[in-house]
Amino acid sequence: MDPLTEAKKKLMPEMTDLLTKRYQILQTIQMEEPIGRRTLSELAGMTERDIRKETDLLRGQQLIEAKTAGMAISPQGIEVLEALKEFMREMSGLSNMEKQLKAILGISQVLILPQDSDDIPAVKTKIGKEAARLLEMKFPLHKKIAVTGGSTMAAISKEISSDKRDRSLQFIAARGGLGEDVLHQANTIASLFAEKTGGAVKTLYLPDHLSAEAYEMMMREPVIKEMMDLYDETDVVVHGIGNAEEIALHRKSSPEEVEMIRKGGAVSEAFGYYFDNEGNVVYRIRTAGIQMEQVQKAKAILAVAGGRSKAKAILSYFNIAPRQTVLVTDEGAARKIIELTTKQEEF
Amino acid sequence: MDPLTEAKKKLMPEMTDLLTKRYQILQTIQMEEPIGRRTLSELAGMTERDIRKETDLLRGQQLIEAKTAGMAISPQGIEVLEALKEFMREMSGLSNMEKQLKAILGISQVLILPQDSDDIPAVKTKIGKEAARLLEMKFPLHKKIAVTGGSTMAAISKEISSDKRDRSLQFIAARGGLGEDVLHQANTIASLFAEKTGGAVKTLYLPDHLSAEAYEMMMREPVIKEMMDLYDETDVVVHGIGNAEEIALHRKSSPEEVEMIRKGGAVSEAFGYYFDNEGNVVYRIRTAGIQMEQVQKAKAILAVAGGRSKAKAILSYFNIAPRQTVLVTDEGAARKIIELTTKQEEF
DNA sequence: TTCAAGTTGGACGGTTTTTGTCCCACTCAA
DNA sequence: TTGAGTGGGACAAAAACCGTCCAACTTGAA
C-alpha cells in the first residue's frame, strides 16, 4: 500500500471501516435498486438504524436518490463507485485474495468481484460484465471461441457490448443440447454471443442422453465430425463450473448416472465431465462436445463461477484446469475457497 | 484534485476536517514539544476536551508519546507528517493560495508553510528549513550569495545542512553593521552561512548611522569599494522583509529619520530601503550595502518573511520586487495578504 | 531546598447524540 | 382492491460526549 494511504490510515483509523461500509451500501443500492432501508439492512447485515444514518448521509451527498419506490443510485453515485473500484479492491483485500487464489489454484490470473452472488443475485451481473470485458480483449487475436451453457454464461452474453462488432468471430457451442432448459444451453448462449458481436455461430443439436450405440453412430456423422474438428481449432474456451449434485438433479439424469455420480464422489462439473475432490474424472455425459484434451490446447480459457456455494466445485475443477485458465469469481466463493484450503493445512 | 480523492471526499465528508485537525495537532506537537493539553488547546484554538480526545487517539496510534513533561512526537509521527506533507498542502488549500499569491505579487514561485509564525514561533524554523533547501539547490550553479540580517535570516542559517559543503561558495554581507543586535546582523549571518558550508565570507563593518560627509568619505575607501564591486557580481540575494515601524523603533534611529519614515508612510523595509504602500522608496539608511539596482541584476532572489503581521510589509515590498524573486512565507501571512487584496478589489 | 508552573491520567455529572423501534401515509404491482 | 414494501417522522432509552475539576507527579528556577 502506498505510504500516503498508510499515513492517512494512521491519522484516521476509522477511515477503513467507514469507507468500506459506505461503499458496500452504495454498491448494494446500485445492484438492488429500488430498495428500502429494511431490505437493505438485511442484505448488508447491518441494523436498520445504521443503514438509515448512512443512507441519509449518502443522500445528503447526492450519491443516491430516495424515491417512493425505494432508494436508487444517482449518476454521481455511479461515478464515485467507479472511481473507488480499484482502491476498494486493494483496501478490502480483494487484491490480496486474488494473489492467494492464484497460488492455491495454480493459475496466473484471477479476478474477484465484491460480495457474494449467493446473497445478492445482481453480483452475477457484475461477474458477467467483467468476464465480458476480459473476453472482448481476446477478440482481435483469437477468433474461434467455444462457449458452454449455464446461468453464469448467460450473464456474460448479456454484458457483451455490441459496440465492437467483429464479423470474423466464430462462436462454437461446446456442448450438444442439455435437455429442456433452452435459455441456458450452450447453443443458445453461443447464438447470443454471435448476435451481439455480429460474428458467426456453430451449434450442435443432439439429445443429451444417448445410448452407447446411438452415440457411436452419431459420432460418425459428417455434421458432428465437422464440429469435432472445429473443437480442435478452438482458440478460446469460456465456461462455467457447476456443482455436481445440483446439475445431476437439474438434468434428467438416469438413475444409474446419478448412482455413478454419487458413488464416485463427484463435486464439480464442466464440459459434461464430472470431477471428484481430487480432480479425477468420475463420469462423463455421453453427448457430443469439446474434449478435455481440446480444452487443454486452447490459447485462452475463461472459467467463470461465483457464490460461496461454488467454492468446492471450483477447487475440485482446478485440480485439472489448464494453466492458462483465468478465473472470474466473487468474494463469497474466494473467501470460502481460502477458508477450505487453509483449514486443510491445519490438519 | 485527483478523482480518487474526490470520490473519497464524497463518501466521507468528515475526512477533510478530521485529517486537517489531527494533522495540525500533530504538527504543533512536533514544533512545541514537550507540550501539554492546555497549552496545545490554546495554540490550536480548540477546547481542551477536543485536544484530549484527539491526542488520546494519536497516542493510541503511537504517533505521539506522553511523558510527564508533556507530549512529544514519535519517530512514526514524524514519518506520518512527512508522508502527508504534500497532500495536506493540496488539501488545506496552501497549494491554491500559492497560486493566488503568485498572481497578486507578480512572481513565479511562492512557498507557503502551514500555520502562523506570529502564533507559533517554531513555524519560523520551518520557514528557515524550507528556505535553506531552496537556497542549497542554487549552490551548484551560483556561488556569490549576498545575505541580509534579521531573525528570519538567522533561522535559515541554522537550517543550512552542513552535509553538502562547498568551498567555492562566497557569502557576502549585504549590509554594514546594524547597531547593537550582533546575532542578527548581516555580517554575523553571512559568517554563519560560510561556516556551515565551508565557504568564504566577506563582511562589511561600518556604523549604521553616518553623517553625510563621513558616508561620502567611506565610500571612497578601497575596502568599501571592493565590496561595492562584489555586489555587482552577486548571483543570489537572500533577504528578509521587515515592518518599517518595528525596524525604525528597534534601531537607534535619529528623530529626523523616524520623522521621514513616518511622514513618508513607510510600511516595509529591505536592504536598508524603506518602501511605502505603493513600493516607492521613502527613505534609505545611509550605510554601505547592496543597491536595489544590484539586487535587480541577481539571477536568483529569495525573499523570506512570515507571520500575518508581515502581510502589509510583504505587499508593499513586492511592488518593486524583481520578477525572479521567490517568496517563502507562512499561512498566516498568505491569508492576510489575500484578505487585504481582495478587500481592496471590493471598493 | 523550596516553590511555582506545567504535566498526565482519572473522575464525574450534565448534556447531546445515537440507537432501536414504532407508526403513518404513501406507492405500486399483482 | 390488496398487500408488501417504501421513506419520513417521532420518541424514549441508552450511550457517548463534553466541560470541568482534581490529585499526583516532574521539572526548572529561585
Side-chain angles (χ1 to χ4, degrees):
Chain A
M1 189 170 306
D2 86 294
L4 178 59
T5 312
E6 200 88 44
K8 283 189 208 166
K9 244 191 191 169
K10 275 271 165 56
L11 224 45
M12 307 201 305
E14 321 88 309
M15 185 181 79
T16 313
D17 287 341
L18 254 190
L19 203 57
T20 313
K21 191 185 356 178
R22 291 182 187 162
Y23 185 82
Q24 196 205 338
I25 291 176
L26 190 54
Q27 206 177 35
T28 311
I29 290 177
Q30 180 191 35
M31 292 189 291
E32 300 289 293
E33 70 181 6
I35 188 177
R37 287 198 305 262
R38 283 159 278 263
T39 320
L40 188 52
S41 72
E42 273 184 37
L43 278 180
M46 309 181 197
T47 66
E48 187 196 328
R49 210 54 190 91
D50 209 17
I51 289 285
R52 184 167 190 172
K53 192 177 57 175
E54 300 302 347
T55 51
D56 280 355
L57 183 138
L58 292 179
R59 183 150 15 85
Q61 295 293 103
Q62 302 181 333
L63 301 181
I64 60 175
E65 284 152 18
K67 308 170 187 177
T68 57
M71 297 174 285
I73 196 164
S74 75
Q76 288 190 58
I78 295 177
E79 272 177 37
V80 166
L81 279 184
E82 196 57 34
L84 284 174
K85 199 161 86 178
E86 261 317 302
F87 180 80
M88 292 308 296
R89 170 184 306 287
E90 200 69 43
M91 166 127 297
S92 64
L94 286 193
S95 185
N96 190 40
M97 289 207 313
E98 284 173 358
K99 274 189 205 151
Q100 290 184 61
L101 278 205
K102 279 183 213 168
I104 292 171
L105 305 179
I107 57 178
S108 63
Q109 198 183 346
V110 171
L111 185 59
I112 304 176
L113 292 143
Q115 317 228 33
D116 190 324
S117 49
D118 283 357
D119 298 330
I120 304 174
V123 171
K124 214 163 215 170
T125 310
K126 293 235 168 196
I127 295 179
K129 193 174 279 173
E130 290 303 320
R133 291 294 92 73
L134 284 176
L135 180 57
E136 283 163 2
M137 284 166 53
K138 309 287 181 192
F139 286 172
L141 270 83
H142 304 302
K143 301 302 184 185
K144 302 198 176 177
I145 300 161
V147 301
T148 70
S151 61
T152 313
M153 291 302 300
I156 302 177
S157 69
K158 276 183 204 145
E159 299 294 337
I160 286 282
S161 97
S162 8
D163 292 347
K164 301 167 195 169
R165 296 173 74 82
D166 185 343
R167 298 183 55 85
S168 66
L169 291 171
Q170 184 167 32
F171 292 94
I172 308 159
R175 304 270 304 273
L178 283 186
E180 75 271 58
D181 197 352
V182 183
L183 278 178
H184 291 167
Q185 283 185 11
N187 284 320
T188 315
I189 308 266
S191 304
L192 282 169
F193 275 107
E195 191 186 340
K196 289 258 183 166
T197 58
V201 61
K202 274 282 175 183
T203 52
L204 179 60
Y205 286 104
L206 262 187
D208 226 16
H209 303 282
L210 291 169
S211 65
E213 302 88 44
Y215 178 74
E216 290 300 326
M217 190 123 68
M218 292 307 289
M219 289 306 279
R220 275 182 245 118
E221 282 293 309
V223 209
I224 309 295
K225 287 202 86 168
E226 190 194 338
M227 271 311 259
M228 297 308 283
D229 292 344
L230 259 181
Y231 290 149
D232 269 326
E233 298 163 14
T234 296
D235 296 316
V236 181
V237 178
V238 189
H239 68 95
I241 299 170
N243 282 321
E245 299 169 39
E246 245 177 64
I247 293 201
L249 283 173
H250 200 255
R251 285 181 193 160
K252 286 179 184 166
S253 308
S254 62
E256 69 255 25
E257 267 178 18
V258 176
E259 187 63 15
M260 287 283 287
I261 293 167
R262 281 265 164 80
K263 275 209 171 168
V267 180
S268 64
E269 186 275 350
F271 320 108
Y273 291 78
Y274 286 83
F275 306 95
D276 66 11
N277 267 325
E278 277 73 42
N280 303 311
V281 176
V282 172
Y283 178 72
R284 188 181 174 200
I285 286 187
R286 206 153 49 224
T287 184
I290 198 167
Q291 310 286 315
M292 205 61 217
E293 300 78 44
Q294 293 166 324
V295 174
Q296 298 270 1
K297 285 195 298 180
K299 278 125 196 159
I301 306 170
L302 210 53
V304 186
R308 59 177 178 278
S309 58
K310 288 274 182 81
K312 281 185 189 169
I314 294 172
L315 265 174
S316 151
Y317 170 71
F318 271 89
N319 280 301
I320 57 99
R323 290 260 171 104
Q324 68 270 37
T325 304
V326 171
L327 172 66
V328 180
T329 186
D330 61 25
E331 197 179 339
R335 284 195 193 285
K336 187 76 183 175
I337 289 172
I338 291 168
E339 184 194 323
L340 286 170
T341 47
T342 47
K343 250 187 191 166
Q344 278 180 2
E345 276 168 16
E346 278 173 22
F347 295 133
Chain B
M1 189 170 305
D2 87 292
L4 178 59
T5 312
E6 200 89 41
K8 283 190 208 165
K9 244 192 193 170
K10 273 273 163 56
L11 223 47
M12 307 201 306
E14 321 89 307
M15 185 181 80
T16 313
D17 287 342
L18 253 190
L19 202 58
T20 314
K21 187 177 15 172
R22 290 181 188 161
Y23 184 82
Q24 195 206 337
I25 292 175
L26 190 54
Q27 207 176 34
T28 311
I29 291 176
Q30 180 191 35
M31 291 188 290
E32 301 289 292
E33 69 180 9
I35 187 176
R37 286 199 303 264
R38 279 160 281 265
T39 321
L40 188 53
S41 71
E42 273 184 39
L43 278 181
M46 310 181 197
T47 66
E48 189 196 327
R49 207 60 190 83
D50 209 16
I51 289 286
R52 184 167 190 172
K53 192 177 56 176
E54 300 302 345
T55 51
D56 279 356
L57 184 139
L58 293 179
R59 182 150 17 85
Q61 295 293 102
Q62 303 180 333
L63 301 181
I64 61 176
E65 284 153 18
K67 308 172 186 175
T68 57
M71 296 174 285
I73 195 164
S74 75
Q76 288 190 57
I78 294 176
E79 271 177 38
V80 167
L81 279 184
E82 196 58 34
L84 284 174
K85 199 161 86 177
E86 261 315 303
F87 179 80
M88 292 308 295
R89 172 184 303 288
E90 199 70 43
M91 165 127 298
S92 64
L94 286 192
S95 185
N96 189 40
M97 289 208 311
E98 285 173 358
K99 273 188 206 151
Q100 290 185 60
L101 279 203
K102 278 183 211 167
I104 291 171
L105 305 178
I107 56 179
S108 63
Q109 197 183 345
V110 171
L111 186 59
I112 304 177
L113 292 144
Q115 315 226 32
D116 190 324
S117 50
D118 284 357
D119 299 329
I120 304 174
V123 171
K124 215 163 213 170
T125 311
K126 292 236 167 194
I127 294 178
K129 193 173 280 173
E130 290 303 319
R133 291 295 92 72
L134 284 177
L135 181 57
E136 283 164 1
M137 284 167 53
K138 309 287 181 192
F139 287 173
L141 268 85
H142 304 301
K143 300 303 184 185
K144 301 199 175 172
I145 300 162
V147 302
T148 71
S151 62
T152 313
M153 291 302 300
I156 302 178
S157 70
K158 276 181 204 144
E159 298 294 338
I160 287 283
S161 96
S162 6
D163 291 347
K164 302 167 196 168
R165 295 173 74 83
D166 185 343
R167 298 183 54 86
S168 67
L169 290 172
Q170 183 167 34
F171 292 93
I172 309 159
R175 303 271 305 273
L178 284 185
E180 75 271 58
D181 195 353
V182 184
L183 277 178
H184 291 167
Q185 284 185 11
N187 284 320
T188 317
I189 308 267
S191 304
L192 282 170
F193 274 108
E195 192 185 339
K196 288 260 182 161
T197 58
V201 60
K202 275 281 176 181
T203 53
L204 178 61
Y205 287 102
L206 262 187
D208 225 17
H209 303 280
L210 290 169
S211 67
E213 302 87 47
Y215 179 73
E216 290 299 325
M217 191 121 68
M218 292 307 290
M219 290 306 279
R220 271 181 249 121
E221 282 292 310
V223 208
I224 310 294
K225 287 202 85 168
E226 190 193 337
M227 272 309 260
M228 295 311 282
D229 291 344
L230 259 181
Y231 290 148
D232 268 326
E233 297 163 14
T234 296
D235 296 315
V236 181
V237 178
V238 189
H239 69 94
I241 299 171
N243 282 321
E245 299 168 40
E246 246 178 64
I247 294 201
L249 283 173
H250 200 256
R251 285 181 192 159
K252 285 179 184 167
S253 308
S254 64
E256 70 253 26
E257 265 179 18
V258 175
E259 187 63 15
M260 287 283 285
I261 294 167
R262 282 265 163 81
K263 275 211 171 168
V267 180
S268 64
E269 186 274 350
F271 319 109
Y273 290 79
Y274 285 83
F275 307 94
D276 67 11
N277 267 325
E278 277 72 42
N280 303 311
V281 175
V282 173
Y283 179 72
R284 187 180 175 200
I285 286 185
R286 204 152 51 223
T287 183
I290 198 167
Q291 310 286 314
M292 205 61 218
E293 300 78 45
Q294 293 167 322
V295 173
Q296 296 272 0
K297 287 194 298 180
K299 277 129 197 156
I301 306 170
L302 210 52
V304 186
R308 59 177 176 280
S309 58
K310 287 273 181 83
K312 280 184 190 171
I314 294 172
L315 264 175
S316 152
Y317 170 70
F318 271 89
N319 278 301
I320 57 98
R323 291 258 171 106
Q324 69 270 35
T325 305
V326 171
L327 172 66
V328 180
T329 186
D330 61 26
E331 197 179 339
R335 284 196 193 285
K336 186 76 181 174
I337 288 172
I338 291 169
E339 183 193 323
L340 286 170
T341 48
T342 46
K343 252 188 189 165
Q344 279 179 2
E345 278 167 15
E346 278 173 23
F347 297 133

